[in-house]
Amino acid sequence: MYRHFGEVEAAKTSPLYERVAVALSESDQALRAIEAAPARKRRPAVILASLHDLALAGRAPALAAAYAAADGDAAAAAAIDTLLRMTDSVVATAVHRQTRTDETGRCAVLYPAIAEAARRVDAKAVGLIDVGCSAGLNLNVDRVGITYSNGQSLGDPSSPVQMTSSIVGDRPIPTRAIPEVVARVGIDLDPVDVTDADNARWLRACLWPDQPERVARLDAEMALSATAPPLLLQGDAVEMLPDAFARVPADALPVITTTWALSRFPLESRLRFLHRLDEAAAGRTVAWVSAEGVGVAPTIPTLGDRRASGHSIIGLAVFEGSALHAEAIGRCWSQGRLLAWLADS
């Protein structure tokens, strides 16, 4: 598993983690130390993030120095040494924490889709509800700046958080703005408060050390979120949805967003999630914007695409009373780094 992670997954973007993961795979002592963690917590992403967290906390200075220098050989040796000396600390962090991918690169997908949802029902204000929100960074979708490869731009050009996305195909994205956001609510089994120093450090630890651009952007995203923290609700998404809807003013359109969250739900829970949206629509119009793997989001057409095809479907569903209008409005790859818009505007 560690050799595959290094030679296949990390090799694409992180030479540092490629070297560290392969070194761990070749060390019998390191592998025995990893086995001290529960089976579900032995994955490379969890153990490497736990080691990185110790380095960021100042508890593994040699590892921190090797990471800062992007020295693969030194990092491999320091990672093994840290793991053997501090096995209990590494395992404790791995057990307590979940790996996170909280960067708002997916906002490049969410922004035009949310704006399209508002246009279709002529909403003058929206309330955002992000399911599986983690730290809730997606809830700042209207507060970031996005530049697309075809020259189009959305959001706030003066925002400290700027991102890019490549357009696939020749169809432009709609450039209308998201209307006023009057509520920002996140739901997660274990939401992350970025104003807490330990939580913020863990989010940094989940990034790979030799990708400074991602670290800088995450820091900017967390700082932006801290200026107006969203409301984060802890609990099962299906059970918490009614509470979340109640936080959205009656004259605003609730827009639920799911980005690669529903795949963690069993099919029964996905159908219950859909039923909750239908229940809420009995009293008001509700929109659901999704970016999920092919066939994961109930009612969203698959466009004939095959499951596990390497891309995701961007879905838009509008619930109005007893009527449901659901369609696929785009495809995306690499969590929003590439986007193909399909809907007529």
Side-chain angles (χ1 to χ4, degrees):
M1 182 167 57
Y2 276 76
R3 178 173 294 280
H4 180 272
F5 179 87
E7 295 181 346
V8 178
E9 297 182 45
K12 301 173 184 177
T13 54
S14 177
L16 191 67
Y17 265 7
E18 176 186 11
R19 181 70 188 91
V20 171
V22 170
L24 290 173
S25 78
E26 295 172 344
S27 168
D28 290 340
Q29 287 182 300
L31 294 177
R32 280 196 294 272
I34 292 169
E35 286 180 346
R40 64 188 177 83
K41 292 291 187 175
R42 296 173 189 168
R43 295 180 293 108
V46 181
I47 297 298
L48 291 172
S50 299
L51 287 166
H52 194 192
D53 188 64
L54 290 173
L56 292 174
R59 299 175 60 192
L63 183 60
Y67 281 169
D71 185 332
D73 290 336
I80 292 173
D81 178 67
T82 301
L83 178 60
L84 297 182
R85 286 188 304 102
M86 306 179 72
T87 301
D88 289 347
S89 295
V90 173
V91 170
T93 301
V95 168
H96 176 64
R97 296 287 192 177
Q98 300 180 50
T99 50
R100 303 285 185 167
T101 53
D102 281 276
E103 300 163 280
T104 54
R106 58 194 76 187
C107 285
V109 168
L110 289 175
Y111 193 110
I114 293 169
E116 177 66 13
R119 181 192 73 83
R120 294 192 178 190
V121 299
D122 195 29
K124 301 299 187 291
V126 298
L128 302 179
I129 301 172
D130 190 29
V131 170
C133 68
S134 188
L137 300 183
N138 287 338
L139 293 166
N140 291 311
V141 58
D142 59 314
R143 304 176 68 201
V144 306
I146 310 163
T147 301
Y148 297 90
S149 59
N150 63 357
Q152 293 182 283
S153 60
L154 291 172
D156 182 359
S158 64
S159 172
V161 179
Q162 297 292 321
M163 63 191 61
T164 59
S165 179
S166 295
I167 297 295
V168 176
D170 55 7
R171 176 170 289 192
I173 58 169
T175 54
R176 64 184 59 86
I178 291 176
E180 180 185 8
V181 177
V182 295
R184 305 174 196 271
V185 184
I187 307 173
D188 199 282
L189 287 173
D190 185 24
V192 178
D193 176 6
V194 298
T195 64
D196 178 87
D198 289 344
N199 285 338
R201 187 183 68 243
W202 175 249
L203 292 185
R204 295 185 187 97
C206 290
L207 298 182
W208 297 358
D210 52 349
Q211 298 178 336
E213 306 85 3
R214 294 179 66 191
V215 175
R217 191 172 76 181
L218 176 62
D219 283 342
E221 292 164 4
M222 291 194 294
L224 179 65
S225 186
T227 63
L231 174 64
L232 302 181
L233 303 178
Q234 183 172 11
D236 175 83
V238 176
E239 300 304 322
M240 298 301 295
L241 272 173
D243 188 12
F245 282 121
R247 309 301 180 106
V248 179
D251 58 350
L253 171 70
V255 181
I256 299 85
T257 58
T258 64
T259 54
W260 301 284
L262 293 186
S263 59
R264 299 193 293 269
F265 291 22
L267 177 58
E268 180 186 1
S269 293
R270 288 181 233 166
L271 296 176
R272 288 174 56 227
F273 167 80
L274 194 69
H275 181 62
R276 286 289 195 209
L277 302 186
D278 190 53
E279 286 180 332
R284 66 197 304 184
T285 300
V286 171
W288 169 35
V289 167
S290 60
E292 304 284 354
V294 177
V296 171
T299 79
I300 300 300
T302 61
L303 305 173
D305 299 345
R306 294 182 297 174
R307 290 178 182 268
S309 56
H311 67 271
S312 299
I313 300 289
I314 306 166
L316 172 57
V318 177
F319 300 76
E320 296 182 280
S322 60
L324 167 62
H325 308 277
E327 67 178 280
I329 60 174
R331 296 183 177 95
C332 64
W333 295 257
S334 301
Q335 295 195 328
R337 293 180 180 87
L338 297 97
L339 166 64
W341 191 260
L342 302 176
D344 294 326
S345 300

